[in-house]
Amino acid sequence: MHAASEKAAEAVQAVQIAAAMARAVELSQNGPAWGVNPQVGCVILGPDGSILAEGWHRGSGTPHAEQDALSRLASPALARGATVVVTLEPCNHRGRTGPCSEALVAAGVGEVYFGVDDPGVESAGGARRLDAAGVPVQGGIAANDVEQSIRPWLTAVRAGRPHVTLKWASSLDGRAAAADGSSRWITGPDARLDVHARRSRVDAIVVGTGTVLTDDPALTARGADGDPFAHQPVPVVIGLRGAPLDRAVWQHPERVREYRTHDVAAVLADLFAAGVRSVYVEGGPTLASAFIEADLVDELVVYLAPALLGGPILALGDLGVASIGEARRLSITSIDLLDADVRIVAHPAPVRVPPTIATTMKETDSVHRNH
């Protein structure tokens, strides 16, 4: 009976921790999606599984989620022996705030559960610090959900470059503009509002000089009323030609970053060094194709209008694909209707490498020996 009771208690705790992690992921989304810091949520549970406090990270220079949650306890004494559930491994370095691992140890918490390992070179190691201090710690809780909630930040830190979202709008037959170059507006108001909402969640918006010359975009993020969002992405212009000073982009509230190059990888490296962790590439076709050909696209957001244009102005240019076997395959994340338009969100599909003859022979030999 004692063993059965222990198993029942463990099952109940597992449910409580899973529920707390789901809540922590939800809380994390209250923080800014842009910037060098990730969105993190934290829930502190009492001995009976009840929520004692919640917290989330509100941006660079503010308390991290664990410290925010600890500060919201009715009494500091409640932390002793409590269970801490946090989306990202507690950090282990001193930046503008102290290490969360040290704060948890000092508070006397009983155990810590987290979703995903911190990939940062300087900030990782919190789990080891907690374990060394005698605090039981377990990672991998609802890891897939946490990964999706902060995927841009994780991608950036792991790859050492900003997460890249590539967007374009086209007619159903893949044209970015009519034969005379006109493109306003291919899609309707709902699609355009969705674009602005996505702009407001990234660090930078990237276009080519050709787009600046042809469309004269402001590159700001605006709401349905036309007013700008509080956060504005940094405007980035790539191309050998400079953007004329009479273009709207120069009126942007953030400083324009111009790169007189076609080397998009070098641009991303420089942006990452400047603290940019996510970029939204809006074109045009030449720039979009350059990012795809360089394998530097993490997500695609494509808006398709129910219209046919024909003509030579395609949404993408040459990608170096000579045959169907070289096609760049995608995995579709979602397909949604925005009024009359279709929004498709996708990401590059993992490359499947056919097994070599040597690998096949080795596997066959292993099967034979095991039987």
Side-chain angles (χ1 to χ4, degrees):
M1 291 294 292
H2 182 66
S5 297
E6 283 187 348
K7 286 186 176 181
E10 289 174 357
V12 170
Q13 185 188 38
V15 171
Q16 292 170 341
I17 291 170
M21 183 59 79
R23 175 59 179 162
V25 170
E26 182 182 2
L27 289 168
S28 72
Q29 300 306 293
N30 291 326
W34 58 89
V36 297
N37 295 109
Q39 295 171 295
V40 181
C42 179
V43 174
I44 301 178
L45 302 177
D48 61 351
S50 61
I51 294 178
L52 299 178
E54 300 177 337
W56 66 88
H57 185 48
R58 289 165 171 77
S60 182
T62 65
H64 289 187
E66 300 93 320
Q67 299 179 39
D68 185 45
L70 288 171
S71 73
R72 295 175 186 279
L73 288 167
S75 167
L78 291 174
R80 304 202 66 81
T83 296
V84 175
V85 180
V86 60
T87 54
L88 187 67
E89 176 189 9
C91 71
N92 196 46
H93 89 121
R94 184 173 298 279
R96 296 175 69 178
T97 59
C100 292
S101 57
E102 298 287 353
L104 293 172
V105 170
V109 303
E111 55 187 353
V112 175
Y113 294 86
F114 67 89
V116 175
D117 292 342
D118 188 333
V121 175
E122 295 182 347
S123 54
R128 291 193 304 273
R129 175 66 187 93
L130 289 164
D131 183 65
V135 179
V137 57
Q138 180 180 336
I141 308 300
N144 288 337
D145 293 338
V146 176
E147 284 266 353
Q148 289 305 310
S149 70
I150 53 172
R151 185 163 50 85
W153 182 84
L154 287 171
T155 299
V157 177
R158 289 167 178 167
R161 62 158 176 81
H163 175 276
V164 175
T165 297
L166 172 61
K167 165 261 174 180
W168 73 77
S170 71
S171 59
L172 200 58
D173 57 343
R175 267 60 183 182
D180 65 355
S182 60
S183 61
R184 292 187 177 183
W185 298 101
I186 290 179
T187 55
D190 288 4
R192 297 199 295 275
L193 284 176
D194 189 69
V195 169
H196 281 276
R198 290 172 183 271
R199 286 181 180 181
S200 73
R201 296 195 292 268
V202 298
D203 290 312
I205 180 169
V206 181
V207 297
T209 308
T211 296
V212 173
L213 294 171
T214 303
D215 295 340
D216 193 20
L219 300 186
T220 53
R222 304 181 298 278
D225 55 5
D227 290 338
F229 286 104
H231 167 73
Q232 290 293 319
V234 173
V236 177
V237 181
I238 301 177
L240 298 181
R241 296 173 294 175
L245 296 180
D246 63 348
R247 301 287 93 175
V249 67
W250 294 108
Q251 304 304 314
H252 197 285
E254 297 292 330
R255 182 176 69 86
V256 178
R257 299 181 72 98
E258 263 195 313
Y259 292 91
R260 302 290 185 89
T261 180
H262 287 159
D263 188 344
V264 292
V267 172
L268 291 181
D270 188 72
L271 290 173
F272 186 84
V276 171
R277 296 294 177 265
S278 58
V279 302
Y280 197 64
V281 179
E282 289 211 28
T286 301
L287 187 65
S289 301
F291 272 94
I292 293 176
E293 193 168 10
D295 291 321
L296 291 173
V297 175
D298 302 297
E299 180 182 62
L300 296 96
V301 181
V302 179
Y303 301 88
L304 295 177
L308 302 174
L309 293 176
I313 306 179
L314 300 173
L316 289 177
D318 183 26
L319 300 179
V321 174
S323 66
I324 194 67
E326 298 174 3
R328 294 175 179 269
R329 301 291 179 178
L330 306 174
S331 294
I332 293 178
T333 303
S334 63
I335 302 176
D336 299 286
L337 274 176
L338 300 179
D339 194 16
D341 302 312
V342 177
R343 181 189 63 203
I344 301 175
V345 179
H347 59 270
V351 177
R352 299 184 63 181
V353 180
T356 64
I357 294 176
T359 303
T360 305
M361 290 178 65
K362 185 177 180 180
E363 291 175 351
T364 303
D365 183 53
S366 175
V367 170
H368 289 165
R369 282 188 283 106
N370 289 337
H371 285 75

